Amino acid sequence: MFQKILIANRGEIALRILRAAKELGIQTVAVHSTADADAMHVRLADESVCIGPPPSRDSYLNIHQIVAACEITGADAVHPGYGFLAENAKFADILAAHNITFIGPSGDHIRIMGDKIEAKRTAKRLGIPVVPGSDGGVTDEKEAKRIAAEIGYPVIIKASSGGGGRGMKVALTEADIDVALATARSEAAAAFGDDAVYIEKYLQKPRHIEVQVFGDGAGKGVHLGERDCSLQRRHQKVWEEANSPALNAEERTRIGNICAKAIADLGYSGAGTIEFLYENGEFYFIEMNTRLQVEHTITEAITGIDLVHEQIRVASGGGLSVTQDDIRFHGHAIECRINAEDPRTFAPSPGTITHFHTPGGLGIRVDSGVYSGYKIPPYYDSLIGKLIVHGRNRVECMMRLRRALDEFVVDGVKTTLPLFRDLVGNPDVANGDYDIHWLEKYLAKGE
Ligand code: ADP
């Protein structure tokens, strides 16, 4: 087991990892920018190292500073959290070269899944159902039109290096292809420095369903069920549920087993999420994230398994603590991402939190790095906390969520709490009757 883990992240996820490490009796090192000197993860860590000024590229993305912090403190492993360097293959390789364990998959697996064309090819080879489309990249209009005619309109042109929902263009008919291809390529080149694009069928009313997987790196793989993250704004998840209100037990087992087998065959190590669009009873792979997700907490709620413990165990060579047969799903869980944002315009609302009171009671978990008197710096994302609610079934979960949202107090900055108070009372949400466009339409109506 590791002696000391350096946490290369900030905010709620840094605290989340710190808690898991402490439970396992492992020393923790926090790194922070000058803007985060008063952050909770810095206060609670055994040691802390300032790694640079506020901009992420000079601190949380500064590989040299982070490796130096490991050397100074004698950390033998690094947990990258999510975002920042979590899916940076070069970072994983550099740590390996310094004999420091990266708590995550190999650099090669990160690289394959980071290139969407390669990821889709790999998924297909492993028997995962994919969205019908081009086999590889598409460069000229003639080829794009031929493929689009084959799969049928509408189609979507996507950047191979894409992320955060950028570099995607929909073509409704053949007349749109020339412009869609040219703009997708130039946007991809500008945003990602890579103009490779591919084409696939555009699904009209899908749900976003993702499967949590784990590999032990030695040929074993398990799945921990799925999460439904269809409630999105600008491709950013807002509200997540486990299990999905749309799947039945047979579908859950079928897609879960396909994913677990793929992970085993790949020899994958650590936590991963295989993301699908789901429409008319069919699953279509869109991408794989090679890290812990923000919404991993709802999987923890329904399985009772601490995913960060598992990550640390696997990375230290201790293997998984569970087999597929040990994994059972209990009840229903929902996560709301509380952002310091205006609940109508979604403009960031940095500033000082004058009062912070979190709900409690059975089935309630709040993961947050903030406290009364905390000043939210303007440099990073606006997530200030996650409210995770668990109940024996979805109805109980929703009742408890409504009560928890009423208790939650954040004064001094604007937050998205009012949005969740509206959503929890909405009949479509209550019925689990929504697709990936539902929230955008709801917000556009300004209800
Ligand atoms: P990113 O890495 O940029 O998030 P994804 O491939 O995960 O890109 O897609 C992001 C979102 O874009 C999906 O959740 C979905 O809303 C939409 N999308 C992607 N591919 C398709 C498709 N083939 N049909 C319909 N919507 C899609």
Side-chain angles (χ1 to χ4, degrees), residues 116 131 156 158 162-166 168 198 200-203 206 208 232 235 275 277 286-287 436:
K116 294 191 167 194
V131 190
I156 183 167
K158 297 170 69 172
R166 288 180 303 164
M168 292 191 258
Y198 62 107
E200 62 187 29
K201 177 138 194 84
Y202 181 71
L203 301 167
H208 173 112
Q232 303 182 355
H235 303 300
E275 297 194 336
L277 295 176
I286 45 172
E287 67 169 341
I436 59 168

Side-chain angles (χ1 to χ4, degrees), residues 242 296-305 328-334 363 365 388-391:
H296 74 279
T297 55
I298 50 175
T299 298
E300 295 185 323
I302 62 160
T303 60
I305 297 168
R328 295 268 180 276
F329 306 114
H330 301 284
H332 194 87
I334 295 176
R365 165 177 174 185
I388 304 107
V389 178
H390 184 230

Side-chain angles (χ1 to χ4, degrees), residues 374-396:
Y374 175 77
K375 191 160 178 241
I376 303 167
Y379 310 103
Y380 312 108
D381 71 31
S382 52
L383 182 72
I384 53 166
K386 307 187 301 203
L387 170 61
I388 304 107
V389 178
H390 184 230
R392 285 176 301 173
N393 50 51
R394 192 166 184 271
V395 171
E396 187 178 81

